[in-house]
Each structure stands twice: as C-alpha cells, then as structure tokens.
Amino acid sequence: MKWPEHGGQPATMKQLFQLDKEKTILDFSANLNPLGPPEWLKKELNGQYESLTRYPDPSYSRSIASLAYHERVGEGEVLLTNGGAEAIFLAAKYFEGKKALILQPTFVEYARACKHYHIETEDIGLLPQDGFALPFDLVMEKLHEKDVLFLCRPNNPTGTVVPEKQIRALLDEGLKTNTYVVVDEAFVDFVPDLSLSALVASYPNLLLLRSLTKMYTIPGIRLGYMMGNNRLINILKAEQIPWSINAYADAIVPKLLEDKRFVDRTKLWLQEQSQKVRSSIASMGFYVSPSRANFYLLQDSQHPQQTDELFRYLFHHGVLARHTHNFKGLDGNFLRLAIRSEEENGYLVSALQKWRIVT
Ligand SMILES: Cc1ncc(COP(=O)(O)O)c(C=O)c1O
C-alpha cells in the first residue's frame, strides 16, 4: 500500500481504506491546535479583501518588525517565509552540495530538502529504548565532519526535546569547524520557555525555523519565518522567490503575535490534556513517547507487531492516526497521535479500550 507522506488527509485515507466518504472521522493525524484558529481571524481576513488587488510589501516590513519585537531579535535577524516548509528548503539551499547530519526519526522534509540540493546526508538514530534521547557523544563526534546538523525541537514525531545545554555544546563545537545547527522550532510555541531565539545573537552558526501553522491552525495560509545571524539571513533573503508570502498572510502576522491570550489558553489546554490522555493510554499497557509537544508516539506494548492492525481498527472506529511508515527508524511500528479536545481524547481512549478487549 502507498501510504500518504503527510498527516491531515482524511479524505485520501478514506479512499485508501474504502471507508464511506460520509463517515465521521476525528483527525488525530495532523498536529494542529484544536482551539484555533483564533475567533477574530475570519473577520480580519474578510476585511483584508482589498489586499488581493495589491502586491505585498516585498520587504514585509510590518511583519518583520512585529516578529523581531516579539522574539527580541534584530529586524535583520528575521526572514518571513511561506510556511515552515519554505524555511526548511531555504536553509537546505544554503548548504547545497555539502554534508548534513539528520537525527531520525524526524520530519521527512529535511531529508527531502537535502536531496533536492544534493546534500550528502548521514542519519543518527534516536532509539525508543532510550526514550528517543539524543545520543549526544555520537553527535558531537560526527559534527566536525559535517557542514550542518538538522534537528527538530520538540521533535516531530516523538515530541521529545534536546536539552538546551546540549544544543549550546553542539553550537560551541560547531563554531570550531564552521558547522551549523539548524533547529526546527515549528512546535516550540506549545511549550513554555523553550525557544532558542535568545541564542541567535551569540551563535552565527545557529538557524531557527518557525511555523505559525500549528499554533494558530492556519495550514492553508502558509506562514513561517526563520531567525539567524544578520549575514546569513541576508544571504537567504537573496535566494527567496520575490513575494513568496501572500498579502493575506503578511497582513495577519502582527495581530496573531499580539494575541497572547490565545497562546496562553493553548498552553494551559495542552498541559491539562496531555497529562490526562497520555496517562490514561499508558495505564492500558500502551507505550507513549516522553513528549512535551501536542502529539506523541504510541505503540501497543502487548502487541507491538500489530500497529497496522491497530491503525485500521482505530480508523474504522472513527479515529485517524498518523502512520509512521515513512519515519526512518519507526518503519510503521508506532502511531503518532495529536492531542485534541477533552471530548475527542476521551473518544480515542474508549476506542483503545475496545481494541484492548478484542486483542
Ligand atoms: C517539524 C515541522 N516543521 C515544519 C513543518 C511545516 O510547517 P508549515 O505547514 O508551516 O510549512 C511541519 C509540518 O508538519 C513540521 O511538522
């Protein structure tokens, strides 16, 4: 079977598994904030209709100013991008033809972007038996042979977080051999005090990638940004396609960043629901990854070989999980599940209880 490369595609999955098009499905396969988008956004976008008739400001100066203010970095240290995806490909472009280290399992687009830009990659495995923790000594050892290390923090799909102390040590080591560390912080907004943006000023070899997609539930508008040393950002800006970010997206950045109540509410929801759903599931004999993000990996510890069957069972019971067939090192042996509303999480728990009874 050809599994789709990304989550969030219930219609495609229904076709693939020959489920009725009308069947109600709860989508746990995309890691979007269930509280979003913020209520005011619809009106705001409707009010922006006239933006359609003008080119966006090519320097996106209002958005850049608000991002710099919000992140406490210089305006020259920020680049607005067409989603986190463009940020990944721009970062890879900078290392065209060079050598990269990738920690696996992780988001598949780093490897795709590296392939696209003829970057030779070496994978280092994060192992389930080690709680998917960074094999720090091995990475330090390999770092000097490489031009760049790609890592995701919190990591998709494990939800695990490399400690800041280790990141600093990698950056210090990287400075000796001009090796960069690219940290994808697409999910960082969900976790209090986790961002590395304060390190941008001290480390010219650090590049941070961000996405506004997940927190604000706006995958359709395509908004992201990157932060790094001024020289690096200027080089990347010169590579970017002109008007890469549309006028609607540009118009909403300042308002999104000002809505701190929405972000705080989200963090509170996550703290409560993450704890609740993960402990309910673990208590039924399932492995749950030590995630700090709004998703986690799951495996039936009693039937670790039956992950595809579990996927199918859940789907037929109205729950769409994210398969892990295209995550290196997971090879389909885990499912990734988003943390959703209390009601939806409860529905998932009851579906897993039923599975436990039948297996
Ligand atoms: C880790 C990570 N980075 C980046 C992205 C891409 O984000 P965007 O939708 O903003 O392009 C995703 C999307 O799933 C992701 O999981």
Side-chain angles (χ1 to χ4, degrees):
M1 180 164 63
K2 183 149 175 25
W3 293 88
E5 282 198 13
H6 293 286
Q9 301 181 65
T12 310
M13 295 304 273
K14 277 181 185 172
Q15 233 177 6
L16 210 59
F17 284 83
Q18 294 166 349
L19 279 196
D20 182 354
K21 265 201 284 202
E22 305 303 323
K23 184 173 169 65
T24 306
I25 293 291
L26 300 179
D27 188 2
F28 285 77
S29 73
N31 300 323
L32 297 168
N33 182 357
L35 307 190
E39 260 171 44
W40 51 264
L41 188 58
K42 190 170 183 181
K43 195 162 158 219
E44 181 66 24
L45 284 172
N46 285 337
Q48 286 293 337
Y49 182 74
E50 290 300 317
S51 306
L52 207 66
T53 62
R54 294 185 293 268
Y55 277 93
D57 162 16
S59 59
Y60 301 104
S61 46
R62 271 185 68 237
S63 291
I64 294 292
S66 66
L67 283 165
Y69 175 77
H70 174 80
E71 297 287 358
R72 298 181 195 182
V73 297
E75 292 187 14
E77 293 170 330
V78 188
L79 182 63
L80 193 67
T81 61
N82 188 294
E86 188 190 24
I88 294 169
F89 276 73
L90 275 175
K93 165 89 183 130
Y94 184 75
F95 302 101
E96 189 157 14
K98 298 198 168 164
K99 290 185 179 159
L101 204 55
I102 303 182
L103 305 174
Q104 298 283 5
T106 197
F107 188 47
V108 293
E109 295 300 329
Y110 315 136
R112 268 195 63 212
C114 286
K115 189 168 175 217
H116 185 80
Y117 288 112
H118 311 288
I119 298 168
E120 188 187 310
T121 57
E122 181 176 342
D123 295 328
I124 289 194
L126 308 171
L127 306 175
Q129 59 269 33
D130 299 337
F132 296 104
L134 180 83
F136 179 70
D137 293 342
L138 181 61
V139 177
M140 282 290 266
E141 203 184 294
K142 292 268 176 200
L143 202 63
H144 71 273
E145 298 165 14
K146 308 292 174 189
D147 300 287
V148 57
L149 163 69
F150 281 90
L151 70 89
C152 186
R153 185 175 184 269
N155 184 36
N156 176 6
T158 58
T160 48
V161 170
V162 178
E164 182 173 328
K165 208 172 142 204
Q166 292 188 342
I167 301 271
R168 282 176 185 266
L170 291 168
L171 286 164
D172 285 327
E173 190 65 17
L175 283 176
K176 296 179 192 162
T177 48
N178 197 28
T179 303
Y180 286 70
V181 181
V182 173
V183 182
D184 185 347
E185 296 192 328
F187 295 97
V188 84
D189 290 337
F190 289 91
V191 190
D193 305 321
L194 198 68
S195 174
L196 299 171
S197 55
L199 301 188
V200 165
S202 351
Y203 288 102
N205 58 338
L206 173 65
L207 193 54
L208 296 178
L209 315 182
R210 288 293 195 88
S211 163
L212 295 173
T213 302
K214 316 293 180 177
M215 170 56 72
Y216 299 101
T217 328
I218 48 171
I221 204 151
R222 316 301 307 131
L223 254 180
Y225 56 103
M226 46 211 308
M227 289 180 281
N229 175 276
N230 187 216
R231 182 197 69 88
L232 183 57
I233 290 294
N234 275 335
I235 294 171
L236 297 173
K237 198 187 283 184
E239 295 292 348
Q240 193 175 29
I241 293 170
W243 304 292
S244 180
I245 300 90
N246 68 73
Y248 279 105
D250 181 35
I252 63 173
V253 172
K255 277 201 94 170
L256 288 175
L257 299 179
E258 278 158 26
D259 194 352
K260 298 216 184 316
R261 273 188 51 214
F262 176 78
V263 178
D264 289 344
R265 215 154 48 83
T266 300
K267 284 180 184 159
L268 209 63
W269 149 80
L270 181 62
Q271 208 182 6
E272 283 173 14
Q273 289 305 313
S274 170
Q275 159 68 16
K276 203 168 159 183
V277 72
R278 289 167 63 240
S279 64
S280 303
I281 293 175
S283 71
M284 289 188 279
F286 292 89
Y287 167 83
V288 178
S289 65
S291 169
R292 291 182 64 193
N294 54 324
F295 51 84
Y296 52 92
L297 286 177
L298 172 144
Q299 186 182 60
D300 185 351
S301 312
Q302 298 176 14
H303 305 283
Q305 308 299 333
Q306 292 185 24
T307 307
D308 279 352
E309 288 81 353
L310 175 58
F311 177 92
R312 210 166 282 126
Y313 183 88
L314 289 175
F315 199 26
H316 281 94
H317 286 77
V319 169
L320 178 57
R322 167 69 159 91
H323 74 86
T324 58
H325 283 280
N326 62 339
F327 282 110
K328 277 193 188 168
L330 299 184
D331 309 316
N333 292 314
F334 293 80
L335 297 179
R336 192 193 68 198
L337 289 153
I339 295 171
R340 305 283 311 163
S341 68
E342 180 157 23
E343 196 187 347
E344 289 179 57
N345 297 334
Y347 187 86
L348 166 70
V349 170
S350 65
L352 288 169
Q353 274 163 345
K354 286 183 202 146
W355 159 265
R356 184 50 82 235
I357 292 165
V358 298
T359 51

